[in-house]
Amino acid sequence: MKKILSTLAIFGTILLAACSHQNPTLDISLSEKFEGQKVEVMNFLDSTSLATAVVTDGKAQIVRPDSTPVFASVLIDGRTRAFYVVEPGVALVNDSTNSAIGTPLNNKFSGLLAQLDSIENLDDMGLYMDFVEKSYNENKNNPIGSYFGIEWIKYAPLNQVDSLLAIAPESLKKSPKAQHYRNFAALRAITAPGQPFIDFEGETLDGKSTTFASFVKPGKYTLVDFWASWCPYCIKELPDMASLYQRWKDNGLEIVGVAVRDTPDDSKAAVSKHNITWPVIYNTQRKPYDIYGFSGIPHHMLIGPDGKIVSRDESLSQIEARLKAAAKEAQTNK
Protein backbone atom coordinates (compact mmCIF):
# COMPACT_ATOMS: atom_id res chain seq x y z
CA MET A 1 0.00 0.00 0.00
CA LYS A 2 2.84 2.39 0.90
CA LYS A 3 4.48 1.62 -2.46
CA ILE A 4 1.23 2.51 -4.29
CA LEU A 5 0.91 5.76 -2.36
CA SER A 6 4.54 6.58 -3.05
CA THR A 7 4.03 5.95 -6.77
CA LEU A 8 0.92 8.16 -6.79
CA ALA A 9 2.79 10.93 -5.01
CA ILE A 10 5.59 10.79 -7.58
CA PHE A 11 3.04 10.80 -10.42
CA GLY A 12 1.29 13.81 -8.87
CA THR A 13 4.55 15.69 -8.59
CA ILE A 14 5.37 14.98 -12.23
CA LEU A 15 1.88 16.07 -13.30
CA LEU A 16 2.12 19.29 -11.29
CA ALA A 17 5.49 20.06 -12.79
CA ALA A 18 4.13 19.44 -16.29
CA CYS A 19 1.20 21.78 -15.64
CA SER A 20 3.46 24.50 -14.27
CA HIS A 21 5.50 24.45 -17.47
CA GLN A 22 2.50 24.27 -19.80
CA ASN A 23 2.41 26.88 -22.55
CA PRO A 24 0.18 29.84 -21.73
CA THR A 25 -3.30 28.80 -22.81
CA LEU A 26 -6.50 30.82 -22.79
CA ASP A 27 -9.77 28.90 -23.14
CA ILE A 28 -12.69 31.12 -24.08
CA SER A 29 -16.38 30.19 -23.85
CA LEU A 30 -18.90 32.58 -25.39
CA SER A 31 -22.62 32.79 -26.14
CA GLU A 32 -23.95 32.32 -29.65
CA LYS A 33 -24.02 36.06 -30.37
CA PHE A 34 -20.21 35.93 -30.65
CA GLU A 35 -20.15 33.06 -33.14
CA GLY A 36 -17.63 33.61 -35.92
CA GLN A 37 -16.15 36.72 -34.35
CA LYS A 38 -12.43 37.36 -34.04
CA VAL A 39 -10.73 37.06 -30.65
CA GLU A 40 -7.43 38.88 -30.22
CA VAL A 41 -5.04 38.91 -27.30
CA MET A 42 -3.19 42.22 -27.31
CA ASN A 43 -0.31 43.54 -25.21
CA PHE A 44 -1.93 45.99 -22.79
CA LEU A 45 0.94 48.50 -22.82
CA ASP A 46 1.77 48.79 -26.51
CA SER A 47 -1.31 47.33 -28.27
CA THR A 48 0.71 44.80 -30.26
CA SER A 49 -1.14 41.64 -31.21
CA LEU A 50 0.01 38.51 -29.36
CA ALA A 51 -2.38 35.94 -30.84
CA THR A 52 -5.77 35.58 -32.54
CA ALA A 53 -8.52 32.98 -32.88
CA VAL A 54 -12.08 32.73 -34.20
CA VAL A 55 -15.09 31.74 -32.11
CA THR A 56 -16.35 28.37 -33.37
CA ASP A 57 -19.23 26.53 -31.69
CA GLY A 58 -19.00 29.00 -28.83
CA LYS A 59 -15.33 28.24 -28.15
CA ALA A 60 -11.93 29.72 -28.89
CA GLN A 61 -8.49 28.79 -27.66
CA ILE A 62 -5.26 30.74 -27.75
CA VAL A 63 -1.92 29.08 -27.01
CA ARG A 64 1.26 31.12 -26.75
CA PRO A 65 4.60 29.36 -27.39
CA ASP A 66 6.38 32.14 -25.47
CA SER A 67 5.82 31.75 -21.72
CA THR A 68 7.14 35.21 -20.80
CA PRO A 69 4.51 36.79 -18.51
CA VAL A 70 2.65 39.69 -20.14
CA PHE A 71 -0.44 41.66 -19.13
CA ALA A 72 -2.89 41.58 -22.03
CA SER A 73 -6.32 42.70 -23.16
CA VAL A 74 -8.76 40.23 -24.70
CA LEU A 75 -10.60 41.84 -27.59
CA ILE A 76 -13.67 40.36 -29.24
CA ASP A 77 -14.68 41.94 -32.53
CA GLY A 78 -12.37 44.87 -31.77
CA ARG A 79 -13.67 45.65 -28.26
CA THR A 80 -11.89 44.91 -24.99
CA ARG A 81 -13.95 42.32 -23.11
CA ALA A 82 -11.50 41.04 -20.48
CA PHE A 83 -7.94 41.13 -19.18
CA TYR A 84 -5.54 38.19 -19.16
CA VAL A 85 -2.09 37.63 -17.71
CA VAL A 86 -0.15 35.52 -20.21
CA GLU A 87 1.64 32.98 -18.02
CA PRO A 88 2.16 29.18 -18.04
CA GLY A 89 -1.03 27.21 -17.43
CA VAL A 90 -4.64 27.22 -18.57
CA ALA A 91 -6.74 30.33 -17.91
CA LEU A 92 -10.45 30.71 -18.60
CA VAL A 93 -12.66 33.56 -19.85
CA ASN A 94 -16.35 33.70 -20.71
CA ASP A 95 -18.66 36.48 -21.84
CA SER A 96 -19.79 37.28 -18.29
CA THR A 97 -16.29 37.81 -16.83
CA ASN A 98 -14.00 40.80 -17.19
CA SER A 99 -10.81 38.99 -16.24
CA ALA A 100 -9.33 35.54 -16.76
CA ILE A 101 -9.03 33.01 -13.93
CA GLY A 102 -7.24 29.70 -13.48
CA THR A 103 -3.55 30.57 -13.04
CA PRO A 104 -1.85 32.28 -10.08
CA LEU A 105 -1.47 35.80 -11.47
CA ASN A 106 -4.84 35.70 -13.20
CA ASN A 107 -6.56 34.65 -9.99
CA LYS A 108 -4.74 37.38 -8.09
CA PHE A 109 -5.67 40.06 -10.62
CA SER A 110 -9.30 38.91 -10.75
CA GLY A 111 -9.54 39.34 -6.98
CA LEU A 112 -7.96 42.79 -7.08
CA LEU A 113 -10.24 43.90 -9.91
CA ALA A 114 -13.31 42.77 -7.94
CA GLN A 115 -12.14 44.87 -4.99
CA LEU A 116 -11.51 47.83 -7.28
CA ASP A 117 -15.03 47.55 -8.74
CA SER A 118 -16.49 47.59 -5.22
CA ILE A 119 -14.52 50.73 -4.35
CA GLU A 120 -15.59 52.37 -7.62
CA ASN A 121 -19.23 51.84 -6.64
CA LEU A 122 -18.59 53.96 -3.52
CA ASP A 123 -17.92 56.95 -5.81
CA ASP A 124 -14.93 58.05 -3.71
CA MET A 125 -11.97 58.95 -5.91
CA GLY A 126 -9.61 59.18 -2.93
CA LEU A 127 -10.28 55.58 -1.89
CA TYR A 128 -10.02 54.47 -5.51
CA MET A 129 -6.62 56.07 -6.00
CA ASP A 130 -5.30 54.76 -2.66
CA PHE A 131 -6.19 51.21 -3.69
CA VAL A 132 -4.70 51.63 -7.18
CA GLU A 133 -1.45 53.01 -5.77
CA LYS A 134 -1.17 50.21 -3.19
CA SER A 135 -1.89 47.54 -5.82
CA TYR A 136 0.71 49.02 -8.17
CA ASN A 137 3.42 49.12 -5.50
CA GLU A 138 2.70 45.51 -4.51
CA ASN A 139 2.79 44.28 -8.12
CA LYS A 140 5.17 46.58 -10.00
CA ASN A 141 7.58 43.68 -10.52
CA ASN A 142 5.00 41.43 -12.16
CA PRO A 143 2.62 42.02 -15.12
CA ILE A 144 -0.30 43.05 -12.89
CA GLY A 145 1.62 46.23 -12.15
CA SER A 146 1.13 47.32 -15.76
CA TYR A 147 -2.63 47.65 -15.25
CA PHE A 148 -2.48 49.48 -11.94
CA GLY A 149 0.37 51.72 -13.07
CA ILE A 150 -1.68 52.92 -16.02
CA GLU A 151 -4.80 53.26 -13.86
CA TRP A 152 -2.81 55.51 -11.51
CA ILE A 153 -1.43 57.64 -14.36
CA LYS A 154 -4.95 58.11 -15.74
CA TYR A 155 -6.04 60.18 -12.76
CA ALA A 156 -2.98 61.34 -10.79
CA PRO A 157 -1.53 64.89 -10.86
CA LEU A 158 1.29 65.49 -13.33
CA ASN A 159 4.06 65.75 -10.71
CA GLN A 160 3.03 62.40 -9.20
CA VAL A 161 2.82 60.80 -12.63
CA ASP A 162 6.36 61.93 -13.41
CA SER A 163 7.59 60.64 -10.04
CA LEU A 164 6.06 57.22 -10.67
CA LEU A 165 7.41 56.96 -14.21
CA ALA A 166 10.92 58.00 -13.13
CA ILE A 167 11.36 54.75 -11.17
CA ALA A 168 8.90 52.51 -13.04
CA PRO A 169 9.97 49.35 -14.90
CA GLU A 170 11.15 50.14 -18.43
CA SER A 171 8.23 48.24 -19.97
CA LEU A 172 5.80 50.66 -18.30
CA LYS A 173 7.89 53.82 -18.45
CA LYS A 174 8.49 53.70 -22.21
CA SER A 175 5.13 52.27 -23.25
CA PRO A 176 2.87 54.20 -25.66
CA LYS A 177 -0.01 53.85 -23.20
CA ALA A 178 1.92 55.43 -20.34
CA GLN A 179 3.05 58.31 -22.55
CA HIS A 180 -0.50 58.83 -23.80
CA TYR A 181 -1.88 59.17 -20.29
CA ARG A 182 1.10 61.23 -19.17
CA ASN A 183 0.08 63.74 -21.86
CA PHE A 184 -3.46 63.69 -20.41
CA ALA A 185 -1.99 64.46 -16.98
CA ALA A 186 -0.34 67.53 -18.53
CA LEU A 187 -3.74 68.61 -19.90
CA ARG A 188 -5.28 68.16 -16.44
CA ALA A 189 -2.57 70.40 -15.00
CA ILE A 190 -3.53 73.16 -17.43
CA THR A 191 -7.21 72.79 -16.51
CA ALA A 192 -6.83 72.12 -12.78
CA PRO A 193 -8.98 73.84 -10.14
CA GLY A 194 -8.17 77.53 -10.06
CA GLN A 195 -7.66 77.73 -13.84
CA PRO A 196 -10.20 79.28 -16.23
CA PHE A 197 -12.28 76.86 -18.29
CA ILE A 198 -11.38 76.31 -21.96
CA ASP A 199 -14.03 76.60 -24.63
CA PHE A 200 -14.87 74.03 -27.34
CA GLU A 201 -17.52 73.53 -30.01
CA GLY A 202 -20.46 71.17 -30.21
CA GLU A 203 -24.03 71.08 -31.48
CA THR A 204 -27.45 72.00 -30.17
CA LEU A 205 -30.46 69.68 -30.19
CA ASP A 206 -31.35 70.81 -33.73
CA GLY A 207 -27.80 70.25 -35.02
CA LYS A 208 -26.63 73.87 -35.06
CA SER A 209 -23.09 74.77 -34.06
CA THR A 210 -22.66 76.06 -30.52
CA THR A 211 -19.94 76.68 -27.96
CA PHE A 212 -19.43 75.39 -24.45
CA ALA A 213 -18.81 78.96 -23.23
CA SER A 214 -22.36 79.98 -24.17
CA PHE A 215 -23.69 77.60 -21.48
CA VAL A 216 -21.46 78.91 -18.67
CA LYS A 217 -23.37 81.72 -16.99
CA PRO A 218 -21.33 84.47 -15.28
CA GLY A 219 -22.23 84.87 -11.63
CA LYS A 220 -23.50 81.31 -11.30
CA TYR A 221 -22.02 77.90 -10.55
CA THR A 222 -22.05 75.58 -13.56
CA LEU A 223 -21.87 71.82 -13.09
CA VAL A 224 -20.55 70.18 -16.25
CA ASP A 225 -21.41 66.51 -16.77
CA PHE A 226 -19.32 64.79 -19.44
CA TRP A 227 -21.32 61.68 -20.31
CA ALA A 228 -22.46 59.29 -23.08
CA SER A 229 -25.54 57.19 -23.77
CA TRP A 230 -23.45 53.97 -23.73
CA CYS A 231 -21.96 54.67 -20.27
CA PRO A 232 -23.87 52.71 -17.56
CA TYR A 233 -22.40 54.75 -14.69
CA CYS A 234 -23.48 57.97 -16.44
CA ILE A 235 -27.06 56.74 -16.77
CA LYS A 236 -27.15 55.31 -13.25
CA GLU A 237 -26.45 58.69 -11.62
CA LEU A 238 -28.98 60.72 -13.65
CA PRO A 239 -31.73 60.52 -10.99
CA ASP A 240 -29.32 61.86 -8.36
CA MET A 241 -28.24 64.64 -10.70
CA ALA A 242 -31.87 65.53 -11.40
CA SER A 243 -32.50 65.69 -7.66
CA LEU A 244 -29.46 67.94 -7.18
CA TYR A 245 -30.69 70.20 -9.98
CA GLN A 246 -34.11 70.54 -8.38
CA ARG A 247 -32.57 71.53 -5.06
CA TRP A 248 -30.15 74.09 -6.46
CA LYS A 249 -31.43 75.45 -9.78
CA ASP A 250 -33.13 78.37 -8.01
CA ASN A 251 -30.05 78.97 -5.89
CA GLY A 252 -27.46 79.78 -8.50
CA LEU A 253 -26.66 76.40 -10.09
CA GLU A 254 -26.68 75.60 -13.79
CA ILE A 255 -26.05 72.12 -15.20
CA VAL A 256 -24.87 71.40 -18.71
CA GLY A 257 -24.44 67.93 -20.11
CA VAL A 258 -21.68 67.33 -22.68
CA ALA A 259 -22.17 64.19 -24.77
CA VAL A 260 -18.78 62.70 -25.68
CA ARG A 261 -17.80 59.86 -28.05
CA ASP A 262 -21.46 59.35 -28.93
CA THR A 263 -23.65 59.75 -31.98
CA PRO A 264 -26.06 62.68 -31.75
CA ASP A 265 -29.02 60.34 -32.35
CA ASP A 266 -28.03 58.06 -29.46
CA SER A 267 -27.42 61.03 -27.16
CA LYS A 268 -30.80 62.56 -28.04
CA ALA A 269 -32.56 59.23 -27.47
CA ALA A 270 -31.00 58.99 -24.01
CA VAL A 271 -31.98 62.56 -23.16
CA SER A 272 -35.58 61.76 -24.07
CA LYS A 273 -35.66 58.34 -22.38
CA HIS A 274 -34.21 59.58 -19.10
CA ASN A 275 -35.99 62.93 -19.10
CA ILE A 276 -32.89 65.09 -18.85
CA THR A 277 -34.16 68.62 -18.28
CA TRP A 278 -30.88 70.58 -18.33
CA PRO A 279 -29.18 71.73 -21.56
CA VAL A 280 -26.99 69.22 -23.43
CA ILE A 281 -24.22 69.86 -25.95
CA TYR A 282 -24.12 67.15 -28.61
CA ASN A 283 -21.53 65.67 -30.97
CA THR A 284 -18.38 66.86 -29.21
CA GLN A 285 -16.73 63.43 -29.71
CA ARG A 286 -13.18 63.49 -28.25
CA LYS A 287 -12.70 67.28 -28.09
CA PRO A 288 -13.29 67.55 -24.31
CA TYR A 289 -10.90 64.65 -23.63
CA ASP A 290 -8.17 66.38 -25.61
CA ILE A 291 -8.69 69.64 -23.74
CA TYR A 292 -9.37 68.53 -20.17
CA GLY A 293 -7.39 65.26 -20.11
CA PHE A 294 -9.95 63.07 -18.36
CA SER A 295 -9.84 59.35 -19.02
CA GLY A 296 -13.26 58.10 -18.01
CA ILE A 297 -16.86 59.19 -17.73
CA PRO A 298 -18.95 60.38 -16.04
CA HIS A 299 -16.57 63.22 -15.33
CA HIS A 300 -17.86 66.19 -13.33
CA MET A 301 -16.39 69.67 -13.46
CA LEU A 302 -17.68 72.54 -11.33
CA ILE A 303 -17.09 76.05 -12.66
CA GLY A 304 -17.43 79.01 -10.30
CA PRO A 305 -19.22 82.33 -10.83
CA ASP A 306 -15.90 83.87 -11.95
CA GLY A 307 -15.44 81.34 -14.77
CA LYS A 308 -12.65 79.45 -13.01
CA ILE A 309 -12.70 75.72 -12.37
CA VAL A 310 -13.59 74.93 -8.76
CA SER A 311 -13.32 71.14 -8.79
CA ARG A 312 -12.91 68.15 -11.07
CA ASP A 313 -13.88 64.49 -10.84
CA GLU A 314 -15.79 64.86 -7.58
CA SER A 315 -18.96 62.97 -6.69
CA LEU A 316 -22.33 64.71 -6.68
CA SER A 317 -22.38 64.65 -2.88
CA GLN A 318 -18.96 66.31 -2.74
CA ILE A 319 -20.13 68.96 -5.21
CA GLU A 320 -23.28 69.64 -3.17
CA ALA A 321 -21.13 70.05 -0.07
CA ARG A 322 -19.19 72.75 -1.93
CA LEU A 323 -22.41 74.50 -2.94
CA LYS A 324 -23.66 74.46 0.66
CA ALA A 325 -20.38 75.89 1.93
CA ALA A 326 -20.45 78.65 -0.72
CA ALA A 327 -24.07 79.50 0.11
CA LYS A 328 -23.27 79.67 3.83
CA GLU A 329 -20.27 81.93 3.18
CA ALA A 330 -22.34 84.22 0.96
CA GLN A 331 -25.01 84.50 3.67
CA THR A 332 -22.38 85.30 6.30
CA ASN A 333 -20.85 88.04 4.15
CA LYS A 334 -24.17 89.81 3.59
Side-chain angles (χ1 to χ4, degrees), residues 117-165:
D117 287 344
S118 297
I119 294 171
E120 188 171 17
N121 289 334
L122 298 176
D123 203 13
D124 187 324
M125 200 62 190
L127 286 177
Y128 186 90
M129 290 298 287
D130 286 346
F131 184 82
V132 167
E133 183 179 19
K134 179 175 180 289
S135 299
Y136 169 72
N137 286 327
E138 291 176 350
N139 293 279
K140 59 186 175 184
N141 294 319
N142 70 59
I144 295 175
S146 298
Y147 177 85
F148 288 104
I150 293 298
E151 198 67 11
W152 169 257
I153 295 169
K154 280 183 180 180
Y155 304 107
L158 179 61
N159 62 328
Q160 294 182 25
V161 169
D162 285 341
S163 294
L164 180 146
L165 289 177

Side-chain angles (χ1 to χ4, degrees), residues 2-219:
K2 289 183 178 179
K3 185 175 181 180
I4 294 174
L5 291 175
S6 177
T7 302
L8 288 174
I10 293 170
F11 177 75
T13 301
I14 294 171
L15 181 61
L16 183 61
C19 289
S20 67
H21 289 88
Q22 184 176 4
N23 286 340
T25 302
L26 181 64
D27 283 342
I28 304 166
S29 299
L30 300 169
S31 59
E32 61 183 15
K33 69 179 180 179
F34 295 104
E35 190 67 18
Q37 293 188 4
K38 178 183 176 182
V39 178
E40 184 171 23
V41 173
M42 184 176 289
N43 186 307
F44 176 75
L45 289 177
D46 63 16
S47 299
T48 57
S49 181
L50 301 176
T52 62
V54 175
V55 180
T56 305
D57 295 329
K59 305 287 184 182
Q61 185 182 75
I62 289 176
V63 180
R64 281 272 296 169
D66 183 354
S67 61
T68 304
V70 179
F71 193 85
S73 305
V74 180
L75 285 70
I76 302 175
D77 199 28
R79 292 182 59 189
T80 298
R81 300 282 182 173
F83 297 107
Y84 163 51
V85 182
V86 181
E87 65 173 341
V90 179
L92 310 172
V93 162
N94 60 50
D95 56 357
S96 63
T97 58
N98 58 2
S99 61
I101 58 171
T103 62
L105 285 178
N106 280 298
N107 290 340
K108 183 177 184 180
F109 177 74
S110 181
L112 289 171
L113 195 59
Q115 293 180 62
L116 189 63
D117 287 344
S118 297
I119 294 171
E120 188 171 17
N121 289 334
L122 298 176
D123 203 13
D124 187 324
M125 200 62 190
L127 286 177
Y128 186 90
M129 290 298 287
D130 286 346
F131 184 82
V132 167
E133 183 179 19
K134 179 175 180 289
S135 299
Y136 169 72
N137 286 327
E138 291 176 350
N139 293 279
K140 59 186 175 184
N141 294 319
N142 70 59
I144 295 175
S146 298
Y147 177 85
F148 288 104
I150 293 298
E151 198 67 11
W152 169 257
I153 295 169
K154 280 183 180 180
Y155 304 107
L158 179 61
N159 62 328
Q160 294 182 25
V161 169
D162 285 341
S163 294
L164 180 146
L165 289 177
I167 57 174
E170 290 296 306
S171 59
L172 174 61
K173 181 189 302 186
K174 295 184 177 180
S175 70
K177 194 177 287 281
Q179 292 306 311
H180 170 78
Y181 287 117
R182 193 271 173 196
N183 290 338
F184 268 37
L187 294 174
R188 291 197 300 275
I190 296 170
T191 55
Q195 300 299 318
F197 74 87
I198 298 176
D199 197 14
F200 56 86
E201 293 185 350
E203 294 178 0
T204 60
L205 180 63
D206 56 5
K208 294 181 180 178
S209 180
T210 190
T211 63
F212 172 55
S214 64
F215 291 85
V216 180
K217 308 299 183 185

Side-chain angles (χ1 to χ4, degrees), residues 232-305:
Y233 288 104
C234 301
I235 302 303
K236 181 181 178 181
E237 73 170 13
L238 286 175
D240 290 336
M241 187 167 291
S243 180
L244 177 70
Y245 189 43
Q246 286 300 314
R247 289 193 297 274
W248 287 92
K249 68 178 182 178
D250 295 327
N251 292 285
L253 177 68
E254 300 286 337
I255 296 182
V256 56
V258 179
V260 297
R261 294 173 54 204
D262 206 5
T263 67
D265 286 346
D266 286 346
S267 301
K268 292 171 187 177
V271 167
S272 177
K273 178 179 179 180
H274 300 287
N275 194 31
I276 296 175
T277 58
W278 49 86
V280 173
I281 304 174
Y282 300 90
N283 202 25
T284 66
Q285 300 310 325
R286 292 201 61 90
K287 293 175 190 174
Y289 286 83
D290 295 336
I291 292 172
Y292 290 98
F294 56 88
S295 300
I297 53 175
H299 181 82
H300 304 137
M301 181 168 68
L302 184 65
I303 299 174

